[in-house]
Amino acid sequence: MHAFIGSVGVFLLLLAYFLNLIKVINPSSLWCGILNTIGGALAAYSSYLLNFLPFIILEGTWTIVSMISLIKNLKTNS
């Protein structure tokens, strides 16, 4: 199950990156923040299930930074 969760998380992170590259979404957009936050959280959880500390730290940090950006975006748009 951890492989599936991690795969979905990484897919969402790569989707956000790809959509940014082809200029479909802006890095500071709401959708980019959502994809990065959910993707990072799923990847961090998967790493936690595997008990792999380096990626728990990496993906956990990615999630926190993405969440901060998402919250700022939501405050600006409200």
Side-chain angles (χ1 to χ4, degrees), residues 4-5 13 22 26 34-35 56 63 66 69 76-77:
F4 176 74
I5 294 168
L13 292 171
I22 63 171
N26 186 310
I34 290 170
L35 289 171
I56 295 170
T63 302
S66 297
S69 174
T76 302
N77 289 335

Side-chain angles (χ1 to χ4, degrees), residues 21-42:
L21 276 179
I22 63 171
K23 308 280 191 236
V24 171
I25 60 175
N26 186 310
S28 61
S29 72
L30 181 64
W31 278 109
C32 193
I34 290 170
L35 289 171
N36 276 300
T37 300
I38 294 172
L42 289 173

Side-chain angles (χ1 to χ4, degrees), residues 52-70:
F52 193 58
L53 188 58
F55 278 99
I56 295 170
I57 294 169
L58 173 69
E59 299 300 344
T61 303
W62 190 287
T63 302
I64 292 167
V65 170
S66 297
M67 223 184 304
I68 291 168
S69 174
L70 181 60

Side-chain angles (χ1 to χ4, degrees), residues 37-52:
T37 300
I38 294 172
L42 289 173
Y45 181 62
S46 175
S47 298
Y48 168 76
L49 292 176
L50 291 169
N51 198 27
F52 193 58

